[in-house]
């Protein structure tokens, strides 16, 4: 986008002067990398074309101006980024631009994703200044802010306005708050829309024989499941182990299994804690969620208990199951013919299934789990330059260009990524799946984005896994997880965790707040 800046501005000026038709403007802007939806909105804006383009490109332009100023002052002509292994593909396309136009070399240090948090905590003690930008998940922000290893970005955000909360092109709510704020202050800028959606095999749904047999058996039409009950029905119907085809590839492996439980728990109207920090999953709703999972085990792929994300994606792409619960990267993987030979062109995606509450309403609750962002190290020699990089990379214009690159983790997270995508974004995800992402993200719940978050999630994961493997019965697993949570809360300090927890719950989607009772909390 930056390399086409002058051509874009010239095109905007021509349109503003009446020298171009709207159709020609949209076509020309598209050739310069601007999404057709964005170009159309700019062309039709009551502000006028110049002002409308200035508004949507403003975060990029302001970040670049700051980068130019800070690069000129910098004695150290490098920016070093601590990033999770496998994420680099969305960043390397811009390294030459920063080198040639700013004289700044981008140096990438890759570490396994589970190590990035630890590296940040080590830097809080060592204070080496080895990193300028660090790329954690939102769960790292509380511990990193409290340990003093990263900056509170709020003042820079107010000064340079990345427009992360803009309703037309900002980060979609509630991820805008859950994945970027700690106690109401900006801790990082999101660059990765990690949410879980449900993928199904469209070719099997459209099979007339299967559709009739399913309707005859269950009394409703075969399709993507709207509820967890339908999910179980369809999995049981499609399960064909004799032919290596399974009802679902849902995770039961350590590290992943907690998310399978968490989304079911919240779709039953329960959060992880109440307003006084008492764990709430050792409850009838939590027990029902575990029993649902145990019931599903008979319809899962036999490798469900050992799946990593990559082995899961591989199995689904090879055609070894009807359904999969996956991140957006899983859709990309299954869509590509090289990695999804059985699934390319055969995917029907949908939002996560709902549960029916006591009042008869359906509650959808997806997981916004993992999801990387840029944080700025307190020990950076060039902190404002590091911030400029974060804002520039996550701006509406640059992020639209960056996300479709292969070899990176980044997935859509801004409104325009889903509602006004570029052609490259459409080619990568398709409009139906981008619509699914938007419809799902508005009802997502966060990870344990509180002090000690990694400890909480590991304690829960350990006990849910023990239940799934038969090591513990469901109630014992939930009770043991509850006791572990209480110990963690006491050690960290109830008041400290509670402040963060209540800040998170204030920004839940309204249906989830109402169902859980969080709408009545202080």
């Amino acid at each position: 986008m930056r390399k086409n800046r002058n051509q874009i501005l010239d095109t905007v000026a021509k349109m503003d002067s009446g020298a171009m038709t709207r159709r020609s403007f949209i076509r020309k802007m598209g050739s310069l990398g601007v999404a057709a939806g964005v170009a159309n909105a700019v062309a039709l804006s009551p502000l006028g074309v110049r002002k409308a383009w200035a508004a949507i490109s403003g975060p990029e332009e302001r970040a670049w101006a700051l980068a130019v100023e800070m690069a000129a002052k910098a004695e150290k002509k490098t920016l070093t980024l601590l990033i999770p292994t496998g994420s680099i593909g969305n960043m390397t396309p811009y390294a030459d631009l920063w080198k040639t136009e700013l004289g700044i070399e981008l140096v990438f240090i890759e570490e396994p994703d589970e190590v990035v948090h630890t590296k940040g905590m080590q830097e809080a003690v060592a204070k080496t200044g080895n990193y300028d930008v660090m790329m954690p998940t939102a769960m790292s922000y509380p511990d990193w802010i409290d340990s003093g290893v990263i900056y509170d970005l709020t003042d820079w955000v107010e000064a340079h306005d990345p427009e992360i909360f803009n309703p037309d092109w900002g980060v979609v709510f509630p991820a805008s708050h859950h994945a970027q704020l700690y106690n109401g202050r900006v801790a990082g800028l999101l660059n990765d829309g990690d949410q879980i959606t449900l993928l199904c095999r469209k070719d099997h749904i459209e099979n007339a024989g299967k559709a009739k047999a399913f309707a005859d058996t269950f009394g409703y039409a075969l399709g993507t499941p709207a509820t967890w009950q339908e999910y179980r029905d369809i999995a049981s119907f499609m399960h064909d182990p004799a032919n290596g085809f399974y009802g679902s590839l849902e995770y039961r492996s350590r590290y992943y299994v907690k998310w399978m439980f968490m989304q079911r728990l919240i779709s039953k109207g329960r959060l992880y804690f109440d307003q006084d920090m008492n764990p709430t999953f050792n409850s009838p709703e939590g027990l029902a969620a575990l029993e649902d999972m145990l019931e599903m085990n008979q319809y899962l792929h036999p490798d469900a208990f050992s799946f990593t994300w990559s082995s899961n994606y591989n199995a689904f792409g090879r055609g070894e199951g009807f359904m999969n619960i996956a991140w957006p990267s899983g859709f990309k993987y299954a869509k590509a013919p090289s990695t999804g030979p059985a699934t390319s062109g055969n995917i029907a995606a949908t939002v996560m299934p709902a549960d029916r509450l006591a009042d008869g309403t359906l509650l959808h609750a997806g997981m916004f789990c993992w999801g990387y962002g840029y944080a700025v190290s307190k020990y950076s020699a060039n902190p404002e330059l590091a911030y400029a990089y974060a804002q520039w990379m996550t701006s509406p214009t640059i992020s639209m260009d960056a996300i479709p690159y292969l070899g990176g983790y980044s997935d859509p997270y801004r409104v325009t990524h889903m509602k006004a995508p570029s052609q490259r974004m459409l080619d990568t995800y398709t409009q139906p799946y981008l619509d699914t992402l938007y419809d799902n993200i508005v009802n997502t719940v966060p990870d344990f984005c509180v002090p000690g978050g990694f400890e909480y999630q590991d304690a829960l994961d350990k006990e849910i896994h023990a239940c799934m493997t038969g090591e513990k019965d469901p109630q014992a697993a939930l009770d043991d997880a509850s006791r572990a949570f209480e110990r963690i809360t006491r050690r960290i300090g109830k008041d400290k965790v509670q402040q963060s927890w209540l800040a998170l719950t204030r920004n839940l989607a309204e249906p989830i707040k109402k169902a859980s009772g969080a709408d009545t909390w202080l």
Side-chain angles (χ1 to χ4, degrees), residues 5 29 104 108 203 224 255 263 276 279 331 354 372 391 396 413:
R5 179 179 183 275
M29 293 290 270
I104 299 297
F108 301 100
D203 49 335
T224 58
Y255 182 77
Q263 61 192 3
D276 294 316
F331 176 87
Y372 292 100
Q391 177 166 321
Y413 53 91

Side-chain angles (χ1 to χ4, degrees), residues 63-261:
W64 191 258
L66 179 62
V68 169
E69 178 187 355
M70 292 299 113
K73 295 178 181 179
E75 294 183 8
K76 177 189 172 189
K77 297 298 183 179
T78 60
L79 273 185
T80 301
L81 293 88
L82 172 65
I83 63 173
T85 303
S87 64
I88 198 170
N90 302 117
M91 291 167 268
T92 48
Y94 309 97
D96 285 347
L97 182 68
W98 276 67
K99 180 68 173 178
T100 56
E101 295 203 16
L102 297 176
I104 299 297
E105 182 181 1
L106 301 180
V107 178
F108 301 100
I109 298 178
E110 296 184 89
E111 296 284 358
D113 55 7
E114 65 272 17
V115 173
V116 171
H117 179 75
T118 303
K119 289 288 183 179
M121 295 304 291
Q122 290 171 346
E123 180 66 1
V125 177
K127 305 178 183 179
T128 65
N130 286 340
Y131 315 121
D132 298 292
V133 179
M134 299 193 288
M135 190 175 154
T137 76
M139 281 199 302
S140 287
Y141 294 145
D143 291 339
W144 283 12
I145 286 284
D146 289 345
S147 68
V149 74
I150 60 172
Y151 280 95
D152 177 329
L153 303 183
T154 307
D155 289 345
W156 286 327
V157 164
E158 291 175 352
H160 305 291
D161 194 7
E163 301 196 35
I164 49 180
F165 305 116
N166 185 292
D168 296 318
W169 52 79
V171 178
V172 182
F173 179 87
S176 55
H177 292 60
H178 293 153
Q180 299 184 117
L181 304 185
Y182 173 47
N183 289 341
R185 307 279 294 179
V186 182
L189 299 184
L190 185 67
N191 68 8
D192 173 30
D194 267 346
Q195 55 171 312
I196 290 176
T197 58
L198 183 64
L199 309 183
C200 303
R201 285 286 296 273
K202 182 174 67 171
D203 49 335
H204 287 261
I205 292 173
E206 295 175 347
N207 181 294
K210 288 186 177 182
K212 183 180 186 306
F214 181 86
D216 289 345
T217 302
F218 292 97
Y220 61 92
L222 177 63
T224 58
T227 66
W228 286 109
Q229 178 61 55
E230 292 180 10
Y231 172 77
R232 187 162 62 251
D233 289 347
I234 296 169
S236 68
F237 177 79
M238 291 292 177
H239 195 59
D240 185 12
N243 290 302
F245 192 76
Y246 306 95
S248 180
L249 278 70
E250 181 181 342
Y251 293 97
R252 288 295 182 267
S253 44
R254 192 81 157 85
Y255 182 77
Y256 298 91
V257 72
K258 59 181 174 290
W259 289 315
M260 304 301 104
F261 171 75

Side-chain angles (χ1 to χ4, degrees), residues 18 161 191 232 287 321 351 353 363 385 398 414 514:
D161 194 7
N191 68 8
R232 187 162 62 251
L287 187 59
V351 300
L363 182 63
L385 183 61
I398 299 301
R414 281 186 177 264
K514 180 180 178 182

Side-chain angles (χ1 to χ4, degrees), residues 265-467:
L265 176 71
I266 295 180
S267 69
K268 295 180 184 298
R270 281 282 187 177
L271 300 176
Y272 322 135
F273 304 97
D274 64 17
Q275 63 180 321
D276 294 316
M277 295 309 300
N278 299 304
T280 57
F281 43 77
N282 57 335
S283 59
E285 294 84 358
L287 187 59
L290 271 190
E291 289 173 345
D292 287 350
M293 293 174 68
L294 288 169
E295 173 66 20
M296 267 299 299
N297 285 353
Q298 62 189 308
Y299 308 122
L300 298 184
H301 192 288
D303 293 340
F305 286 82
S306 60
F307 272 147
T308 63
W309 67 266
S310 57
S311 61
N312 171 283
Y313 290 4
N314 284 330
F316 188 64
R318 289 193 301 263
E320 296 177 12
F322 176 74
M323 289 184 287
N324 199 18
I325 295 174
W327 288 268
S329 56
F331 176 87
K332 286 193 291 186
Y333 198 100
K335 177 179 177 291
S338 59
T339 50
T343 52
S344 181
N346 291 321
I347 310 169
T350 187
V351 300
M352 291 308 299
D355 253 312
R356 193 171 299 279
L357 303 180
D359 64 2
T361 60
L362 291 177
L363 182 63
H364 289 274
M367 287 296 307
F368 194 89
C369 47
W370 223 233
Y372 292 100
Y374 292 121
V376 177
S377 171
K378 272 278 187 77
Y379 307 109
S380 167
N382 296 311
E384 286 186 271
L385 183 61
Y387 172 79
Y389 175 85
Q391 177 166 321
W392 190 78
M393 282 295 297
T394 60
S395 64
T397 45
I398 299 301
S399 62
M400 185 78 81
D401 187 67
I403 288 172
Y405 280 109
L406 299 178
Y409 284 155
S410 291
D411 289 308
Y413 53 91
R414 281 186 177 264
V415 175
T416 41
H417 296 162
M418 304 167 216
K419 293 297 187 181
S422 66
Q423 188 58 52
R424 287 178 61 240
M425 192 76 82
L426 283 171
D427 291 343
T428 302
Y429 293 96
T430 76
Q431 190 61 62
Y433 188 60
L434 291 171
D435 291 339
T436 295
L437 289 179
Y438 185 86
D439 293 341
N440 192 73
I441 197 173
V442 296
N443 287 311
T444 50
V445 293
D447 270 321
F448 291 99
C449 300
V450 296
F454 282 91
E455 296 178 68
Y456 284 117
Q457 74 151 14
D458 186 64
L460 180 61
D461 189 82
K462 175 184 175 183
E463 298 301 334
I464 300 303
H465 186 258
C467 175

Side-chain angles (χ1 to χ4, degrees), residues 476-497:
L478 294 172
D479 289 343
D480 287 347
S482 178
R483 283 189 283 270
F485 272 42
E486 289 168 348
R487 288 193 296 271
I488 295 167
T489 300
R490 283 195 301 270
R491 185 178 55 74
I492 295 174
K494 175 184 172 181
D495 291 346
K496 181 178 179 178
V497 184

